[in-house]
Amino acid sequence: MEQTLSIIKPDAVAKNVVGKILDRFETAGLRIAATKKIQLSRAEAEAFYAVHAQRPFFGELVEFMISGPVVVSVLEGENAMTKNRDLMGATNPKEAEAGTIRADFAESIDANAVHGSDSLENASIEINFFFAQKDIC
Ligand code: CMP
C-alpha cells in the first residue's frame, strides 16, 4: 500500500471541477486518506517548490500557486504514486494523453490542474509538508 500527495491547483478549483477530479482518483481505486482546501501563502508555495527554485519558471509557478485556493489530498492504494501520475497525464497538457486529468481540465504548463508526487521519497516529504499523521486515516 502506497501513499502519494495530490494538489488540485487554483485553475481547476476555480473551474469548479474538484469533485470531478477526486472522482477520477476514487474510480481508479485510490482512497482519499486526507483532504483539505487551503490558500497557500507565498512562503509556503516557495518552500513546497524549493526544488525548482533555480528554474526560470519558478516565479510564475509560485504566483500561480498562490492565485487562489488549492485542494491537497493524500491518496492511498496499490502503486498510488504511479497510478496518480498516470491519471494526471503529462506536465504539459498539450502532450497529455486523451482521457487524462490534464488533457481534460488543464490549459497550459502553468495552469495544469494538478500536481502529484514524482517519487515515493518525495511523496513522504510532500505529505508531511501538508498533513500531520493524525489527520491521515
Ligand atoms: P508540477 O507537477 O506542479 O511541478 C512543477 C510545476 O512547474 C509543473 O507542475 C508545472 O505546472 C510548472 N512548470 C512551468 N514550466 C515548466 C517547465 N518548463 N517544466 C516543468 N514544469 C514547469
Side-chain angles (χ1 to χ4, degrees), residues 9 49 52 55 57 61 85 91 102 109-112 114-116:
K9 296 189 181 186
Y49 279 119
H52 295 304
R55 307 284 290 273
F57 57 82
L61 172 61
R85 290 187 66 83
T91 304
R102 284 169 169 156
I109 196 160
D110 292 309
N112 67 349
V114 279
H115 165 84

